[in-house]
């Protein structure tokens, strides 16, 4: 059975990410972000959202584990910041219901949501520039980089929260990530 570990970055919805995966029948475990990388045994990793880039624990090291990684909100920002992208304050700020345009219908993570989807997202901080090797895969009126993918390294990120009920096709994002992990 495919095993996906959710890394807890102390976000308010992290338990919902764990539950969404469990509800799909995936073997999953929620682990704190200070867990040593050598103790992570997984076919895929979800870097959860969270309140603060200063409390990301060992998340940068998890990017080196040679398994697919899905970053959600802060998780995506960690990927961008660690790999040479740029993260900054968003103009919009707090949580909102947002219409997102999918820019790459062939993207393995969000392409199936094309041409657009409705999501629940926070834009207090956001990716301003994707790192080299990444494709910019979604945008909205309030945030230019709503999603990004590096299919060569199997690193993916979404600014929104696919685990919450307000996100229309959130379960599909997790199903697509499962497909990436089992490919």
């Amino acid at each position: 059975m495919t095993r996906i570990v959710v890394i807890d970055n102390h976000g308010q919805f992290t338990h919902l990410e764990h539950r969404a995966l469990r509800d799909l029948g995936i073997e999953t475990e929620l682990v704190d972000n200070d867990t040593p990388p050598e103790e992570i045994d997984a076919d895929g990793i979800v870097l959860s959202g969270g309140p603060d880039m200063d409390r990301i624990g060992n998340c940068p090291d998890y990017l080196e584990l040679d398994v697919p990684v899905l970053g959600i909100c802060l998780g995506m920002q960690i990927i961008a910041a660690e790999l040479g992208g740029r993260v900054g304050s968003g103009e919009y700020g707090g949580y909102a219901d947002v219409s997102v345009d999918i820019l790459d219908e062939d993207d393995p993570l969000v392409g199936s949501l094309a041409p657009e989807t409705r999501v629940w997202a926070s834009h207090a901080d956001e990716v301003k520039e994707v790192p080299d090797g990444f494709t910019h895969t979604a945008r909205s009126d309030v945030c230019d980089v709503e999603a990004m993918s590096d299919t060569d390294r199997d690193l993916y990120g979404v600014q929104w929260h696919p685990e919450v009920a307000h996100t229309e096709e959130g379960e599909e994002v997790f199903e697509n990530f499962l497909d990436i992990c089992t490919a």
Side-chain angles (χ1 to χ4, degrees):
M1 177 181 270
T2 303
R3 177 177 164 78
I4 297 178
V5 171
V6 177
I7 304 298
D8 186 355
N9 286 312
H10 315 291
Q12 62 182 327
F13 301 129
T14 302
H15 66 287
L16 295 177
E17 295 162 7
H18 179 246
R19 181 177 177 173
L21 291 164
R22 192 180 67 225
D23 287 352
L24 288 175
I26 299 168
E27 181 184 341
T28 184
E29 182 181 3
L30 182 61
V31 300
D32 198 75
N33 66 9
D34 63 1
T35 303
E38 61 272 11
E39 292 180 17
I40 302 291
D41 177 25
D43 300 302
I45 294 172
V46 173
L47 298 180
S48 81
D52 194 342
M53 193 67 97
D54 294 332
R55 297 180 59 205
I56 62 170
N58 291 324
C59 285
D61 298 329
Y62 304 145
L63 301 178
E64 304 297 322
L65 291 178
D66 200 31
V67 297
V69 177
L70 168 58
I72 295 174
C73 197
L74 176 69
M76 179 172 91
Q77 296 160 22
I78 292 167
I79 293 169
E82 288 300 317
L83 298 177
R86 191 169 58 81
V87 176
S89 296
E91 293 177 21
Y92 182 80
Y95 285 99
D97 181 31
V98 178
S99 181
V100 172
D101 296 320
I102 305 301
L103 304 175
D104 182 356
E105 65 184 34
D106 295 323
D107 180 67
L109 185 70
V110 300
S112 66
L113 309 179
E116 69 176 24
T117 190
R118 298 287 298 179
V119 304
W120 187 250
S122 167
H123 294 96
D125 293 305
E126 57 193 39
V127 174
K128 299 293 190 178
E129 184 179 316
V130 301
D132 287 344
F134 280 79
T135 301
H136 176 197
T137 57
R139 73 164 178 253
S140 72
D141 289 343
V142 297
C143 175
D144 186 49
V145 182
E146 289 281 1
M148 64 182 194
S149 294
D150 180 336
T151 56
D152 290 339
R153 291 184 284 183
D154 277 333
L155 300 174
Y156 303 88
V158 292
Q159 180 66 35
W160 68 84
H161 287 273
E163 71 277 12
V164 299
H166 299 307
T167 295
E168 289 181 355
E169 297 170 290
E171 184 176 300
E172 191 167 339
V173 171
F174 287 118
E175 289 170 347
N176 291 345
F177 184 61
L178 175 62
D179 289 344
I180 291 166
C181 292
T182 57

